[in-house]
Structures are given as structure tokens and as C-alpha cells.
Amino acid sequence: AQKVTQAQTEISVVEKEDVTLDCVYETRDTTYYLFWYKQPPSGELVFLIRRNSFDEQNEISGRYSWNFQKSTSSFNFTITASQVVDSAVYFCALSEARSGAGGSYIPTFGRGTSLIVHP
Amino acid sequence: GAVVSQHPSRVICKSGTSVKIECRSLDFQATTMFWYRQFPKKSLMLMATSNEGSKATYEQGVEKDKFLINHASLTLSTLTVTSAHPEDSSFYICSATREWGKETQYFGPGTRLLVL
């Protein structure tokens, strides 16, 4: 079973539309971290947000907002008034502590959602 | 802060040759570095985890003799693809974590490898 599910493979919107990217995760850990990354065509992963499992506050950063709900194991990402520059693949990731890895948190990435914003 | 670089950004090589990719943490000491592989339109797949001065821990299914990882210092890890073949063509991404805040990985810009 996938630990991180991004059910939307591709979303196509017209500029200025709002769009929500879904992310559902699965873990037995009480301490974990959730991330969203943006990967534009250049390939470089751009960090967007990190949220720990004890902080369920939603966050807004400009046109971006995130809705973390532990009750449904979801960490959805909304872009308001989308722009062409938002076109990219967006990855949701879950980081859990891995035993025997020197305390490392190893992220598991979802399959990504390709967002296409048309002018 | 927390900048990670990779070199080269793009490499084309002939089948049978070996290719070395460098990953450097520029403004912090990376206690742990990670190597990922990404196929077109696919997600990132963790290949191995390396700690400075010790052997890398490879994920299941990743050939350690094929993908040699050396983490010689707290700012440098290298991935060598030995005797590369066309199926090794991929996008390779490294990441690094600090001693504190290990839950956050800082990613390099990636290296596109094309084996002819």
C-alpha cells in the first residue's frame, strides 16, 4: 500500500482559477513530517512547506495555503488565483524516522500531481 | 542557507563508461546525504543513504556495485555509475540533512544522465 497517495495525476486549469492538490498519507508513527515540493520543468525540487504531526494549524503563504487534517490523514495544498508560472509537478512527501539509520528521517514521496495552468 | 549543489548538471556518456556525480552542501555540514533516482513522469526513488565516513545503506533492489557511493567529508558525497548502460539513463538527485533538523532534506538541482 502506498504511504503517500496523490490521486490526481494531472490537473489542468485556466489562469486565475483556484486549484487544490490532494495528498493522503498513511503512518503508524505519532511523530512524522509532511512536505510539499514543487518540481518545475528544470527538475530542481523547490521546498514549499513542512508540517510536523503535532501542528495541525493550517497555513497560508501568499497564494498558497495548506490544510492539514490528521483525522482524515490528509495534507491538501491549494493555490489561489493560479498563474502560468505555477505549472509544475507537485510532490507531497511523508517523513518518518527510520530505525538504524542514525536518526534519519526518510521521506516517502507521492507520485506527484502535474499541474498545467493555461493562460 | 542550506544550499546543495550537484555537478555535472547534465552528462552524456557512452555505454560501458563510468560516470561520477558530485553532491556538495555549500553552506552547512551534511551529516547524512541521500541519493534519489527519478524516471520521466515518475516519483523520486530513494537509492541509498550515506553517512560521512561510513558505508552507504542501499535500498532494496539497488545494486551497490553498480552505484558506488562515497561520502568522504561532511560536505561531499559522490555517486559513481559504473559501466553505465542505456537503462541507467535517468535524473539523479541528491539531498542532505543537517545534524539538527534531520527531518528536513535539502535537495540538489539534479543531474540528467544519458547513456548512449
Side-chain angles (χ1 to χ4, degrees), chain A residues 25-92:
Chain A
Y25 63 93
E26 180 185 327
T27 181
R28 292 181 179 178
D29 288 1
T30 54
T31 301
Y32 55 89
Y33 297 83
L34 295 163
F35 299 81
W36 274 96
Y37 292 91
K38 174 182 180 180
Q39 188 177 42
S42 63
E44 182 167 3
L45 281 172
V46 178
F47 167 84
L48 296 178
I49 190 170
R50 181 193 78 185
R51 177 64 77 225
N52 74 53
S53 52
F54 299 107
D55 183 2
E56 277 193 83
Q57 280 192 337
N58 292 328
E59 181 156 337
I60 299 175
S61 176
R63 295 184 298 107
Y64 296 167
S65 63
W66 290 268
N67 183 0
F68 177 25
Q69 292 198 344
K70 288 178 75 171
S71 59
T72 56
S73 296
S74 64
F75 187 42
N76 297 338
F77 171 32
T78 297
I79 301 175
T80 305
S82 59
Q83 299 176 1
V84 173
V85 294
D86 295 328
S87 298
V89 179
Y90 290 85
F91 289 98
C92 178

Side-chain angles (χ1 to χ4, degrees), chain B residues 17-96:
Chain B
T17 60
S18 294
V19 175
K20 181 186 283 189
I21 302 170
E22 291 186 349
C23 176
R24 293 182 185 272
S25 56
L26 299 184
D27 53 359
F28 67 101
Q29 291 189 326
T31 52
T32 307
M33 286 185 164
F34 305 81
W35 287 95
Y36 293 84
R37 183 175 183 176
Q38 186 182 29
F39 290 106
K41 299 188 184 299
K42 297 293 184 183
S43 188
L44 279 74
M45 182 191 80
L46 180 66
M47 299 174 67
T49 303
S50 73
N51 291 294
E52 184 262 340
S54 60
K55 289 184 178 180
T57 301
Y58 289 81
E59 295 298 295
Q60 195 171 10
V62 178
E63 299 176 60
K64 57 182 68 176
D65 295 332
K66 174 76 170 175
F67 300 100
L68 299 179
I69 292 172
N70 185 285
H71 193 160
S73 75
L74 285 172
T75 59
L76 173 65
S77 176
T78 59
L79 168 68
T80 301
V81 183
T82 61
S83 187
H85 288 95
E87 57 266 29
D88 298 325
S89 299
S90 191
F91 190 52
Y92 293 88
I93 307 173
C94 74
S95 68

